[in-house]
Amino acid sequence: MFDATTILGYKADGKAVIGGDGQVTFGNTVLKSNATKIRTLYEGKILAGFAGSTADAFNLFDMFEGILAEKRGDLFKSVIGFSKMWRKDKHLRQLEAMMIVLNTEHIFILSGTGDVVEPQDGKIAAIGSGGNYAISAARALEKHTDLEPRVLVQESLEVAGDLCIYTNKNIKILEL
């Protein structure tokens, strides 16, 4: 696995939220602290975030957006088609990136090895170096508080920013 960022996706109460930190590293050097690693897709109806190489992520976002258009925004069908394409292509398989995609109905983690993972709880997913910190915080906050989804994502990413050297607290959040 590569050392890269933190992205957290969460869906609850009819809302979908994704957040990510802004740190870009090259080895043990911080190159940028305010990058945007999350975006909306398909007419603002899908949220997506990436961890890994920036150039790879932009290629993958473009591909995924094309499949979403082809499948008329059906997230489930799109992740299956995207996974097949990503896995079968010998060049794409080498890309160092992972993605989280979600809407108010589904949340998935996608990887170049062909993984399409819907979290067991169907609510929380995290990727990147600080992903385990963020998801741990999110699960605890969900269980023991009544925070709004956006605040839960913000607070969880703050915890990851305190613990992971590849994650900062320059957090951006998108919500459906």
Side-chain angles (χ1 to χ4, degrees), residues 8-19 47 102 104 123-124 138 141-142 145-157 173-176:
L8 177 67
Y10 178 62
K11 64 181 205 58
D13 304 329
K15 296 180 181 178
V17 180
I18 195 164
L47 301 175
L102 71 152
T104 57
K123 295 180 179 184
I124 308 171
L141 289 170
E142 182 186 49
T145 70
D146 292 326
L147 293 175
E148 289 290 316
R150 182 182 189 94
V151 175
L152 185 140
V153 168
Q154 175 78 36
E155 293 298 321
S156 299
L157 288 168
I173 296 178
L174 296 171
E175 182 176 3
L176 297 178

Side-chain angles (χ1 to χ4, degrees), residues 29-168:
T29 303
V30 176
L31 295 179
K32 187 174 181 176
S33 65
N34 63 346
T36 301
K37 303 169 193 175
I38 57 173
R39 63 165 57 171
T40 59
L41 303 174
Y42 194 71
E43 302 167 0
K45 297 176 184 174
I46 306 291
L47 301 175
F50 73 90
S53 165
T54 305
D56 294 348
F58 286 121
N59 286 330
L60 294 171
F61 276 152
D62 289 345
M63 281 178 39
F64 189 65
E65 204 154 24
I67 293 171
L68 277 168
E70 183 181 301
K71 305 288 184 188
R72 297 184 177 159
D74 185 314
L75 185 57
F76 183 77
K77 288 180 181 177
S78 296
V79 297
I80 299 302
F82 180 69
S83 168
K84 288 177 184 176
M85 183 184 294
W86 193 355
R87 177 71 176 130
K88 288 180 181 177
D89 187 286
K90 72 178 189 172
H91 298 291
L92 294 176
R93 274 195 316 258
Q94 306 305 314
L95 299 183
E96 293 184 358
M98 293 183 77
M99 294 173 58
I100 292 177
V101 294
L102 71 152
N103 60 15
T104 57
E105 297 174 33
H106 299 286
I107 183 169
F108 298 101
I109 297 172
L110 308 174
S111 79
T113 58
D115 296 321
V116 175
V117 178
E118 188 166 21
Q120 183 172 331
D121 64 7
K123 295 180 179 184
I124 308 171
I127 57 174
S129 298
N132 286 336
Y133 303 118
I135 200 167
S136 296
R139 286 178 179 163
L141 289 170
E142 182 186 49
K143 185 175 181 179
H144 298 291
T145 70
D146 292 326
L147 293 175
E148 289 290 316
R150 182 182 189 94
V151 175
L152 185 140
V153 168
Q154 175 78 36
E155 293 298 321
S156 299
L157 288 168
E158 295 268 346
V159 168
D162 284 337
L163 299 171
C164 177
I165 63 171
Y166 297 103
T167 303
N168 70 12

Side-chain angles (χ1 to χ4, degrees), residues 1-14:
M1 185 47 80
F2 46 88
D3 296 320
T5 207
T6 303
I7 302 294
L8 177 67
Y10 178 62
K11 64 181 205 58
D13 304 329

